[in-house]
Amino acid sequence: MKRIGVFTSGGDAPGMNACIRAVVRGAVYHGVEVYGIRRGYNGMITGDVYKMESHSVSNIVQRGGTILKSARSMEFLTKEGRQKAYDKLMELGIEGLVAIGGNGTFTGAQLFCSEFGIPAVGAPGTIDNDLYGTDYTIGFDTAVNTALDAIDRIRDTASSHDRIFFIEVMGRDSGYIAVQSGIAGGAELVMVPEVLTPISEVVETLRQGWSRSKSSSIIIVAEGDEAGGAVEVAARIKEEVDEDADIRVTTLGHTQRGGPPSAYDRILASRLGLGAVEGLIAGQRNVMAGIINNELVYTPFEDCIRLPKPINEDLMRMVKILSV
Ligand code: F6P
């Protein structure tokens, strides 16, 4: 393989730049030309690409976001869009791709290869940590630390005012950020999409706390919880407990997606970026590079897309025991 492309797609995640850097420098090290594709699959369709050299990725290891920009491409979902992308890649002589992103990114890459034969190797970049085939995804650790910083601050004011706070963290289909930031932040309860938490259990947890003279409580709600987001849950609790209960809601939203990556994410992204590009050069096809038990492994896109990554039940159990 003489020439490859690299792109970021889907929701951005802190550490994507460190990953791009590893891909580019890894390719240069192995004498392979590398082109940066801007705005994910959209850039592939429009030919928004540029040749990257070692210096193209100087001073980015510490930066959040992605210098290649990102998008969720609607056009690539169509056969015509993918045909245009293929034609552009052929014009440019790009023979393989490193795709940095999540589920949607790998679904696109898999389909693209089955139709047009352009192989890809993925690096998991999403704050959600919802990908089978790796213990952690790029950006997750930073997002947890960002959420934790907010939780710590909210705890100060919750305690001063004897309030109940519902804090909503990201995770449309995944409760990883909620569980980990909840444990680290000493939350009373964590509500995640993977586990059913009846409103009666939330009320019960609060009542138990009051019976032990707890004057403030923090409940972390993943945005995709079956009961709704933090606003909906807080409204239900007011109905159940007391319309005048001193309850506040904070939604952390996209603050969790930005900021400089943690040391952990920079190292993870570097390992996965290098693993992806070296895998592609060595002949790996349509697999995602991941780290499991500290070892680099390659898992077929098919499995990463199809198989669920269950929430760690020990951690969920721990939240309950430690909030007593
Ligand atoms: O997949 C990452 C993620 O941040 C989810 O946690 C969240 O639900 C979604 O992206 C938000 O997407 P957007 O930035 O398009 O609103």
Side-chain angles (χ1 to χ4, degrees), residues 3 21-22 41 49 70 80-81 87 89 106 109 113 124 140 154 161 213 230 255 264 266-267 275:
R3 187 176 290 173
R21 173 177 175 267
Y41 290 112
V49 305
S70 194
E80 298 71 44
D87 294 343
L89 293 185
F106 302 149
C113 187
F140 170 68
I154 290 169
H161 286 269
S213 309
T255 54
Y264 183 89
R266 295 182 202 191
I267 295 163

Short mmCIF file of all heavy atoms in Angstrom, two decimals, residues 3 21-22 41 49 70 80-81 87 89 106 109 113 124 140 154 161 213 230 255 264 266-267 275:
data_model
loop_
_atom_site.label_atom_id
_atom_site.label_comp_id
_atom_site.label_asym_id
_atom_site.label_seq_id
_atom_site.Cartn_x
_atom_site.Cartn_y
_atom_site.Cartn_z
N ARG A 3 -0.40 4.64 -0.67
CA ARG A 3 -1.05 5.90 -0.30
C ARG A 3 -2.36 5.61 0.44
O ARG A 3 -3.20 4.85 -0.06
CB ARG A 3 -1.34 6.71 -1.57
CG ARG A 3 -1.84 8.09 -1.29
CD ARG A 3 -2.01 8.85 -2.58
NE ARG A 3 -0.74 9.19 -3.20
CZ ARG A 3 -0.62 9.74 -4.41
NH1 ARG A 3 -1.70 9.99 -5.13
NH2 ARG A 3 0.55 10.03 -4.90
N ARG A 21 -2.22 12.25 14.69
CA ARG A 21 -0.76 12.41 14.72
C ARG A 21 -0.05 11.06 14.62
O ARG A 21 0.91 10.89 13.86
CB ARG A 21 -0.40 13.13 16.03
CG ARG A 21 1.08 13.25 16.32
CD ARG A 21 1.22 14.05 17.62
NE ARG A 21 2.60 14.16 18.07
CZ ARG A 21 3.15 13.32 18.93
NH1 ARG A 21 2.46 12.30 19.40
NH2 ARG A 21 4.40 13.50 19.32
N ALA A 22 -0.57 10.09 15.38
CA ALA A 22 0.06 8.76 15.37
C ALA A 22 -0.10 8.09 14.00
O ALA A 22 0.82 7.43 13.52
CB ALA A 22 -0.55 7.90 16.47
N TYR A 41 -16.82 11.56 5.92
CA TYR A 41 -17.21 11.05 4.60
C TYR A 41 -17.61 12.18 3.65
O TYR A 41 -17.51 12.02 2.43
CB TYR A 41 -18.37 10.05 4.76
CG TYR A 41 -17.93 8.76 5.43
CD1 TYR A 41 -18.38 8.41 6.69
CD2 TYR A 41 -17.07 7.89 4.77
CE1 TYR A 41 -17.98 7.23 7.31
CE2 TYR A 41 -16.65 6.71 5.36
CZ TYR A 41 -17.11 6.38 6.63
OH TYR A 41 -16.69 5.22 7.21
N VAL A 49 -9.35 17.03 0.47
CA VAL A 49 -8.23 16.26 1.05
C VAL A 49 -6.92 17.01 0.86
O VAL A 49 -6.82 17.85 -0.05
CB VAL A 49 -8.11 14.86 0.40
CG1 VAL A 49 -9.40 14.08 0.49
CG2 VAL A 49 -7.65 14.96 -1.03
N SER A 70 -15.06 17.12 11.71
CA SER A 70 -15.87 15.91 11.69
C SER A 70 -17.29 16.23 11.23
O SER A 70 -17.70 17.38 11.24
CB SER A 70 -15.92 15.27 13.08
OG SER A 70 -16.43 13.97 12.98
N GLU A 80 -25.22 6.69 -4.30
CA GLU A 80 -24.62 7.71 -5.19
C GLU A 80 -23.49 8.43 -4.46
O GLU A 80 -22.43 8.71 -5.03
CB GLU A 80 -25.66 8.76 -5.64
CG GLU A 80 -26.83 8.23 -6.45
CD GLU A 80 -27.82 7.40 -5.63
OE1 GLU A 80 -28.15 7.81 -4.50
OE2 GLU A 80 -28.23 6.32 -6.10
N GLY A 81 -23.73 8.73 -3.18
CA GLY A 81 -22.72 9.42 -2.37
C GLY A 81 -21.47 8.57 -2.26
O GLY A 81 -20.33 9.05 -2.43
N ASP A 87 -14.98 7.43 -6.50
CA ASP A 87 -14.36 8.07 -7.67
C ASP A 87 -13.26 9.04 -7.23
O ASP A 87 -12.18 9.09 -7.83
CB ASP A 87 -15.42 8.82 -8.49
CG ASP A 87 -16.43 7.85 -9.12
OD1 ASP A 87 -16.11 6.63 -9.19
OD2 ASP A 87 -17.52 8.30 -9.52
N LEU A 89 -11.50 8.96 -4.43
CA LEU A 89 -10.35 8.22 -3.90
C LEU A 89 -9.52 7.63 -5.04
O LEU A 89 -8.29 7.62 -4.98
CB LEU A 89 -10.81 7.11 -2.94
CG LEU A 89 -11.47 7.56 -1.62
CD1 LEU A 89 -11.76 6.36 -0.74
CD2 LEU A 89 -10.59 8.54 -0.85
N PHE A 106 -17.81 3.12 11.42
CA PHE A 106 -17.38 1.78 11.00
C PHE A 106 -18.45 1.10 10.15
O PHE A 106 -18.14 0.31 9.26
CB PHE A 106 -17.02 0.92 12.22
CG PHE A 106 -15.93 1.54 13.07
CD1 PHE A 106 -15.87 1.32 14.44
CD2 PHE A 106 -14.96 2.36 12.49
CE1 PHE A 106 -14.88 1.91 15.21
CE2 PHE A 106 -13.96 2.94 13.25
CZ PHE A 106 -13.92 2.72 14.62
N ALA A 109 -17.73 2.43 6.77
CA ALA A 109 -16.49 1.89 6.22
C ALA A 109 -16.69 0.46 5.73
O ALA A 109 -16.20 0.06 4.67
CB ALA A 109 -15.38 1.94 7.26
N CYS A 113 -16.47 -0.78 1.79
CA CYS A 113 -15.53 -1.81 1.34
C CYS A 113 -16.27 -2.94 0.63
O CYS A 113 -15.80 -3.45 -0.39
CB CYS A 113 -14.72 -2.34 2.51
SG CYS A 113 -13.43 -3.45 1.95
N PRO A 124 -11.10 3.51 17.56
CA PRO A 124 -12.34 3.90 18.23
C PRO A 124 -12.24 5.27 18.91
O PRO A 124 -11.52 5.44 19.89
CB PRO A 124 -12.52 2.80 19.29
CG PRO A 124 -11.14 2.29 19.56
CD PRO A 124 -10.36 2.47 18.28
N PHE A 140 -13.08 9.02 26.14
CA PHE A 140 -13.93 8.65 27.27
C PHE A 140 -13.32 9.15 28.60
O PHE A 140 -14.00 9.77 29.42
CB PHE A 140 -14.12 7.13 27.29
CG PHE A 140 -14.77 6.61 28.54
CD1 PHE A 140 -16.10 6.90 28.82
CD2 PHE A 140 -14.05 5.84 29.46
CE1 PHE A 140 -16.70 6.43 29.98
CE2 PHE A 140 -14.65 5.37 30.60
CZ PHE A 140 -15.97 5.67 30.87
N ILE A 154 -20.64 21.07 41.73
CA ILE A 154 -22.06 21.07 42.06
C ILE A 154 -22.26 20.54 43.48
O ILE A 154 -23.12 21.02 44.23
CB ILE A 154 -22.86 20.27 41.01
CG1 ILE A 154 -22.86 21.06 39.69
CG2 ILE A 154 -24.29 20.00 41.48
CD1 ILE A 154 -23.37 20.30 38.49
N HIS A 161 -26.70 24.39 50.14
CA HIS A 161 -28.13 24.71 50.10
C HIS A 161 -29.04 23.54 50.44
O HIS A 161 -30.26 23.67 50.30
CB HIS A 161 -28.49 25.23 48.70
CG HIS A 161 -28.00 26.62 48.44
ND1 HIS A 161 -28.76 27.73 48.72
CD2 HIS A 161 -26.83 27.06 47.95
CE1 HIS A 161 -28.07 28.82 48.38
NE2 HIS A 161 -26.88 28.43 47.92
N SER A 213 -30.10 11.35 57.72
CA SER A 213 -29.72 12.77 57.86
C SER A 213 -28.88 13.33 56.72
O SER A 213 -28.12 14.27 56.91
CB SER A 213 -28.97 13.01 59.18
OG SER A 213 -29.67 12.48 60.24
N ALA A 230 -32.35 14.37 32.57
CA ALA A 230 -32.42 14.85 33.96
C ALA A 230 -33.63 15.76 34.20
O ALA A 230 -34.24 15.73 35.28
CB ALA A 230 -31.12 15.59 34.30
N THR A 255 -19.92 20.23 26.85
CA THR A 255 -18.66 20.51 27.59
C THR A 255 -17.84 19.22 27.66
O THR A 255 -16.61 19.26 27.69
CB THR A 255 -18.91 21.00 29.03
OG1 THR A 255 -19.75 20.05 29.69
CG2 THR A 255 -19.57 22.36 29.07
N TYR A 264 -4.11 9.85 29.80
CA TYR A 264 -4.57 8.51 29.44
C TYR A 264 -5.07 8.49 27.98
O TYR A 264 -4.72 7.60 27.20
CB TYR A 264 -5.68 8.05 30.40
CG TYR A 264 -6.14 6.65 30.10
CD1 TYR A 264 -5.51 5.55 30.69
CD2 TYR A 264 -7.18 6.40 29.21
CE1 TYR A 264 -5.90 4.25 30.37
CE2 TYR A 264 -7.58 5.11 28.90
CZ TYR A 264 -6.93 4.05 29.49
OH TYR A 264 -7.32 2.77 29.17
N ARG A 266 -4.38 10.58 25.56
CA ARG A 266 -3.31 10.84 24.58
C ARG A 266 -2.53 9.55 24.29
O ARG A 266 -2.17 9.26 23.15
CB ARG A 266 -2.34 11.90 25.11
CG ARG A 266 -2.99 13.26 25.27
CD ARG A 266 -2.00 14.28 25.76
NE ARG A 266 -2.71 15.39 26.38
CZ ARG A 266 -2.17 16.54 26.72
NH1 ARG A 266 -0.88 16.75 26.51
NH2 ARG A 266 -2.89 17.49 27.29
N ILE A 267 -2.27 8.79 25.36
CA ILE A 267 -1.49 7.55 25.19
C ILE A 267 -2.33 6.51 24.46
O ILE A 267 -1.87 5.86 23.52
CB ILE A 267 -0.99 7.05 26.57
CG1 ILE A 267 -0.02 8.06 27.16
CG2 ILE A 267 -0.34 5.67 26.45
CD1 ILE A 267 0.25 7.91 28.64
N GLY A 275 -1.50 1.59 15.93
CA GLY A 275 -1.99 0.22 15.71
C GLY A 275 -2.84 0.14 14.45
O GLY A 275 -2.73 -0.81 13.67
#
